[in-house]
Amino acid sequence: MKVGIVGAGMVGSSAGYALAMMGIASDIVLVDKNAALAVAQAEDISHAVPFVSATKVVAGDYGSLTGARVVIIAAGVSQKPGESRLELLERNAGVFRDVVSQVLRAAPDAILLIASNPVDIMTQIATHLSGLPPQRVIGSGTILDTARFRSLLGGHLGIAPQSVHAYVLGEHGDSEVLAWSNARAGSVALRSFADQVGKPLTDDVRHAIDSGVRNAAYKIISGKGSTYYGIGAGLARIVKAIAQDQCDVLSVSIVTPHVADVRDVALSVPRIIGAAGVVADLFPELDAEEYAALNRSASLLKERIESVNLN
């Protein structure tokens, strides 16, 4: 399968590297307005390929995306230290007007995978600009926040993160909702599991995990300027679900007709992903506090997208 990546910065190149290491794609094409950067990233990644796979990694222009089944859009300006993802909106919206049209001119049948922040709003903008059905315009959403949640829970409980089944919902950002009430470890309710293994989920533990998930990006950005390895792996995981038609359940963002009493807004809930993109949405049962928090998150995103001129 051929995968295009528009934006060869740290997020785009990390996604390309993860895809190549996992051997998911037969061909990866990196496109960037800085052609020299795209060439350098493609060559660097291709030099790692012989150790693990046979993926062909090249740099190209938009025309080189012809035949791509998935195009990752990681173009845009980077998040500054202390800047919220939503503050990136006005600076990144203009970039997409050009990028989306050029991608679809070359690869009209591709699924668009949006990585640029603020990802939920950029996903809704890309859906509008492309005219594609929402199922084919997928934002990375809270896939990384969910991984962080599972990692911290696994660390506390002393089990592998893969054995934790818990999701972060809503915005990929400050208003995100950690769905504690339906989280599980194995097949056991989270609180019961924690009690059984002698690692109770006290208020202090929950607060520390919530803070660790919610503030992870800010901590990383403060230390090294941006985040890219985690989201690069998350993007590759979504591509794998599409490439192998796995029908995996992943927390990603698409424009959703109705969620938590808010209509037509892009945000994350668990969704089934296969070869056609999003196959189905799954709405977990939430307690009253979590439902109210999801409503606030959706309302915030709805308010912000309505402030954008999409004409």
Side-chain angles (χ1 to χ4, degrees):
M1 185 183 78
K2 183 175 181 179
V3 176
I5 301 175
V6 179
M10 295 308 299
V11 170
S13 61
S14 294
Y17 180 75
L19 284 166
M21 294 301 97
M22 294 168 69
I24 296 168
S26 60
D27 297 86
I28 298 172
V29 180
L30 292 169
V31 178
D32 197 280
K33 65 179 181 179
N34 181 347
L37 175 63
V39 169
Q41 299 283 35
E43 290 197 7
D44 196 13
I45 295 170
S46 68
H47 296 161
V49 167
F51 297 107
V52 291
S53 74
T55 302
K56 181 181 178 181
V57 185
V58 300
D61 56 19
Y62 283 101
S64 305
L65 299 175
T66 300
R69 278 185 56 197
V70 177
V71 176
I72 297 170
I73 300 181
V77 290
S78 299
Q79 189 175 8
K80 298 177 181 178
E83 180 182 40
S84 74
R85 295 179 181 93
L86 293 180
E87 288 171 342
L88 287 172
L89 173 59
E90 291 301 329
R91 297 197 294 140
N92 271 331
V95 174
F96 268 44
R97 286 183 170 86
D98 177 58
V99 169
V100 170
S101 64
Q102 296 205 61
V103 167
L104 291 181
R105 192 175 300 122
D109 297 324
I111 292 172
L112 304 184
L113 181 49
I114 311 303
S116 305
N117 275 322
V119 69
D120 302 293
I121 294 173
M122 301 314 299
T123 298
Q124 189 145 3
I125 289 173
T127 304
H128 174 84
L129 293 173
S130 68
L132 296 174
Q135 294 77 11
R136 285 179 53 198
V137 185
I138 304 171
S140 56
T142 60
I143 192 168
L144 179 55
D145 308 276
T146 291
R148 291 165 174 161
F149 190 21
R150 294 178 179 184
S151 178
L152 290 171
L153 282 171
H156 173 70
L157 297 172
I159 61 175
Q162 293 88 346
S163 295
V164 178
H165 308 289
Y167 293 93
V168 177
L169 315 175
E171 178 200 3
H172 172 54
D174 298 337
S175 71
E176 64 190 21
V177 181
L178 279 63
W180 290 90
S181 66
N182 55 60
R184 292 234 179 317
S187 62
V188 181
L190 189 65
R191 187 175 293 278
S192 175
F193 186 98
D195 290 342
Q196 289 183 52
V197 297
K199 301 286 183 66
L201 291 170
T202 65
D203 289 344
D204 286 344
V205 169
R206 284 177 54 123
H207 176 76
I209 291 174
D210 184 281
S211 179
V213 174
R214 201 174 300 277
N215 297 312
Y218 297 119
K219 179 180 180 181
I220 294 168
I221 290 168
S222 176
K224 68 174 191 175
S226 60
T227 66
Y228 37 87
Y229 293 133
I231 191 57
L235 292 164
R237 182 66 184 86
I238 298 168
V239 173
K240 182 181 180 183
I242 296 168
Q244 300 180 3
D245 195 19
Q246 291 184 318
C247 291
D248 289 319
V249 178
L250 302 172
S251 56
V252 296
S253 181
I254 68 170
V255 176
T256 309
H258 187 272
V259 57
D261 300 321
V262 179
R263 295 186 178 276
D264 299 319
V265 63
L267 47 58
S268 289
V269 296
R271 306 183 197 271
I272 301 173
I273 300 179
V278 172
V279 177
D281 300 334
L282 303 173
F283 297 96
E285 295 181 2
L286 304 174
D287 65 25
E289 183 178 347
E290 291 165 347
Y291 188 90
L294 185 58
N295 171 267
R296 289 193 296 271
S297 185
S299 298
L300 171 67
L301 290 166
K302 180 70 172 179
E303 178 183 347
R304 191 55 63 96
I305 192 64
E306 288 181 341
S307 72
V308 181
N309 181 6
L310 297 179
N311 298 322

